[in-house]
Amino acid sequence: MPKEQANWSPYDNNGGTCVAIAGADYCVIAADTRMSTGYSILTRDYSKICKLADKSIMASSGFQADVKALQKVLASRHSIYQHQHNKQMSCPAMAQLLSNTLYYKRFFPYYAFNVLGGLDSEGKGCVFTYDAVGSYERVGYSAQGSGATLITPFLDNQLKSPSPLLLPAKDAVTPLSESEAIDLVKTCFASATERDIYTGDKVEIVILNGDGIRHEYEELRKD
Amino acid sequence: MIPWVRSRFLLFLERTIHLSILFNRIRTKYLGWVSSSLEQLFGVAIAVQGKKIKSRRTCFRLINCRSPPVEYSLLKLEHSSNALYVMDSLLSSEGDSQRTQYPYVTGTSVIGIKYKDGILMAADMGGSYGSTIRYKSVERMKQVGKHSLLGASGEISDFQEILKYLDDLILNDNMWDDGNSLGPKEVHNYLTRVMYNRRNKFDPLWNSLIIGGVKNGHKYLGSVSMIGVHYEDNHVATGFGNHLARPILREEWREDLTFEEGVKLLEKCMRNLLYRDRSAVNKLQIAKITDEGLTVSQPYSLKTYWNFAAFENPTVGAEGSW
């Protein structure tokens, strides 16, 4: 019998867009809440944002099952860290852990595209951006996922980050105020939703600053 | 080498090579070299559809003349003879694989909704063998523990295996005898891990599952796919149901749906599926789960009406058709 049955793939792309912006004393992390497969929408209210520690928040798109597995690994590693050190992991430490966790599966990767946002030990905003196998970089802002190609150039244009080649190194944080950054994120998602079918329904925005953590939501196009 | 260490090692090799090919880490022209090195070192070689790759030349001959997809397998070489036999291999076309390559008997869509007092679920009773409807009384919704209801589409035998896992889970939980019991959320999470683990072993359980239930007045409805993708929603559907039923549910679903309204809504969805899904049969069950417990209806059929103009002459107005 010829084999023409449906074959299967261990991977799927469930879409979604993640954005993070770091400021002098805050960090904004955002992601839409749509989950898709192919041309179908699975659900319109799925949070892609995960609080890994008090001062590190991860937003992830890609293959949802891998993302969930990754979040579970990081959560358990963080609970071990807390037992051993009696404190929360810092955002740069979590960034390195995330990179190592991704690279650990280099030859059967987590199909996950992450941005990690938070506050560093000085209380300054920080954003780390990743690929699926763990390469990462500290930046001032980043977009990942299906809408990243639409949002990145817009952020580049609006935020004009200093070249990473400059010596002495210049701070990557953006000059915006917190409320300006939130508005910018909302604009980014509203625009990406117009052209990217995998982005839409709602944006979830998490704002991290000296006072603590705050959530905001904004409705997006549902088509 | 100890036999089981060896077999584990070969399995690892096989998976590494397969993934390398999958992600284009090995160029085809080097496969001959990889294969002969493996043969010298470990007495195994790479084969394409049962033929061993010996050199760069045979590699090209075997691969280039075939239309994709080419399937690779690891062959184990006997010490003295030239006899080759195929290992339990990842994607080999040979028949002795212990992994599910494709489903045999499958069930089609399941639909679940939340309503005022709990969860309603509907599924037809067909079991398809490819495109043949082979079985007509397959129960695809089963109770799990005290508070949950599981509905499955996809491979029926895998569903029955899952029910065995769940029986074990519930039994082990009962043995604590602490008056605690697993709710739908816990069962859903368990299934999520089982499905994802099996996809990691390249041996998936070929199902899309829907799990619903009520515990302590809390309604829960979720879904898991064969590769572990999972979510919760007010209404869920698998397969064709996601295309044909969910648009109706998105329009008409309300939080305060009564039982009668819920059943009516599910019947509307099932009727639509019956009209357009060729594997659907007109014999279905509706299951209800509330804080009071679970009931699965007797099988029954829906009233259908096939005299719609679009059914009688489906190509009218479609230019260029006959």
Side-chain angles (χ1 to χ4, degrees), chain A residues 3 5-6 8-12 14 35 40-44 63-66 68-69 72 106-108, chain B residues 19 23 25 71 102 189 193 196 199-200 202 204 206 226-233 242-243 246 250:
Chain A
K3 246 174 58 185
Q5 277 86 2
W8 73 285
S9 162
Y11 291 115
D12 188 8
N14 300 110
M35 183 161 96
S40 307
I41 294 170
L42 292 174
T43 178
R44 297 187 190 277
F63 174 40
Q64 185 264 354
D66 273 349
K68 193 57 137 208
K72 285 192 182 226
R106 172 64 178 79
F107 297 107
F108 184 22
Chain B
L19 285 168
F23 294 114
R25 302 289 302 173
E71 293 175 345
Y102 44 85
N189 187 245
R193 285 2 277 165
Y196 183 69
R199 89 106 214 190
N200 283 348
F202 279 76
W206 215 290
M226 90 183 224
I227 50 175
V229 174
H230 56 281
Y231 55 93
E232 277 181 68
D233 214 329
N242 206 31
H243 292 99
R246 286 199 79 194
R250 289 207 177 104

Side-chain angles (χ1 to χ4, degrees), chain A residues 88-102:
Chain A
Q88 293 274 318
M89 207 184 272
S90 71
C91 191
M94 186 60 85
Q96 182 64 55
L97 176 62
L98 175 55
S99 169
N100 293 154
T101 312
L102 288 167

